[in-house]
């Protein structure tokens, strides 16, 4: 089996990168990480890449265009066929985004299009939503937009603070991102205009309530 070659861009902790590394440790997983690039020299994610024996490199962000040019060259040299943003905290150059169109994905800790941008978990708490989650999507020029590939939903608890909600969402991210990359690697994603069609996916109908339905029926 030839595995899809994935390049990952990070800025920090790299826990999503770690989830991808762990998934790819299974030889049956259809993707492998060939290079990790960071715009921060001290990013923990670079250490994770080193530990896994993956080629990794800090690229100074002297300007958006300069970073993009160096990153693009490194990615192409590595043979990357897909670029995954995993906590890459800067806006990417438009030319880079266009050059990797439909081969550039991001994970964001909210149910997009709700709460794009910074501190989405804080935004979710402030809005009082009962559910939040995470989204993997193809990247377009405008931040946190682009055709949605997959989402996972988590409940927001009444006593949540930003840290607790973030941890719950992050645990979902670590499952969702490897799954989304698997779908891409298996050729099961088709971008049609603003939407992604996933072949071979059926999800049961159902309904989640928060607060739980039992409260509304008077049993609570
Ligand atoms: C994640 O919440 C991701 O969704 C967001 O930035 C965070 C990165 O965390 N884009 P990590 O570096 O993967 O641990």
């Amino acid at each position: 089996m030839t595995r899809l070659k994935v390049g990952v861009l990070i800025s920090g902790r790299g826990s999503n990168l770690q989830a991808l590394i762990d998934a790819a440790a299974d030889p049956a997983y259809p993707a492998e990480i060939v290079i990790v690039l960071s715009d921060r020299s001290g990013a923990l994610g670079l250490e994770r890449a080193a530990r896994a024996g993956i080629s990794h490199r800090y690229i100074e962000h002297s300007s958006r265009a300069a970073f993009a040019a160096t990153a693009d060259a490194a990615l192409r040299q590595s043979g990357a066929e897909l670029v995954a943003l995993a906590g890459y905290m800067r806006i990417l150059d438009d030319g880079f985004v266009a050059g990797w169109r439909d081969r550039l994905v991001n994970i964001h800790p909210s149910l997009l299009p709700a709460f794009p941008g910074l501190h989405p978990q804080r935004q979710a708490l402030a809005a009082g939503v009962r559910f939040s989650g995470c989204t993997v999507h193809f990247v377009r020029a405008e931040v946190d937009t682009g055709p949605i590939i997959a989402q996972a939903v988590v409940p927001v608890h009444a006593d949540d603070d930003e840290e607790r909600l973030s941890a719950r969402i992050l645990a979902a991210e670590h499952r969702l991102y490897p799954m989304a990359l698997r779908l891409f690697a298996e050729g099961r994603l088709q971008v049609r205009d603003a939407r992604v069609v996933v072949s071979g996916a059926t999800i049961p109908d159902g309904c989640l309530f928060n607060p739980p339905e039992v409260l509304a029926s008077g049993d609570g």
Side-chain angles (χ1 to χ4, degrees):
M1 176 186 65
T2 49
R3 309 214 286 169
L4 178 84
K5 293 183 169 54
V6 181
V8 181
L9 261 61
I10 59 161
S11 295
R13 179 177 61 180
S15 71
N16 276 289
L17 166 66
Q18 189 66 54
L20 297 176
I21 291 172
D22 293 347
D26 177 354
Y29 187 73
E32 62 178 326
I33 299 165
V34 291
I35 192 166
V36 175
L37 303 174
S38 170
D39 66 319
R40 294 213 190 123
S41 58
L44 177 58
L46 287 173
E47 283 172 41
R48 297 180 191 269
R51 235 181 288 142
I54 296 168
S55 160
H56 56 283
R57 179 169 164 194
Y58 156 63
I59 298 175
E60 192 192 347
H61 197 280
S62 48
S63 75
R64 204 176 280 172
F67 178 88
T70 310
D72 187 70
L75 288 162
R76 294 195 189 276
Q77 207 188 354
S78 74
E81 301 159 280
L82 174 74
V83 178
L85 307 181
Y88 178 70
M89 295 307 286
R90 293 185 195 257
I91 295 168
L92 280 165
D93 175 75
D94 281 355
F96 182 94
V97 172
W100 288 91
R101 190 181 170 91
D102 296 342
R103 292 181 304 137
L104 175 61
V105 296
N106 180 44
I107 187 159
H108 182 77
S110 77
L111 295 174
L112 290 173
F115 316 132
L118 291 175
H119 308 301
Q121 303 93 338
R122 199 184 297 171
Q123 294 183 53
L125 289 171
V129 293
R130 297 300 192 242
F131 293 99
S132 191
C134 48
T135 303
V136 177
H137 62 98
F138 286 110
V139 173
R140 296 291 183 259
E142 209 179 315
V143 173
D144 298 328
T145 67
I148 291 170
I149 297 168
Q151 294 184 309
V153 175
V154 305
V156 180
H157 292 210
D159 59 351
D160 270 350
D161 56 15
E162 198 178 345
E163 197 182 328
R164 269 196 297 268
L165 179 58
S166 298
R168 194 174 308 118
I169 293 174
L170 193 64
E173 292 183 49
H174 295 162
R175 295 165 62 189
L176 188 71
Y177 218 180
M179 186 196 94
L181 259 55
R182 169 190 286 281
L183 295 176
F184 184 98
E186 290 174 348
R188 288 164 65 175
L189 305 179
Q190 237 191 317
V191 185
R192 291 201 198 136
D193 302 319
R195 295 162 46 139
V196 178
V197 178
V198 183
S199 62
T202 47
I203 182 161
D205 277 333
C207 199
L208 283 172
F209 294 82
N210 183 13
E213 197 178 17
V214 65
L215 283 184
S217 67
D219 304 337

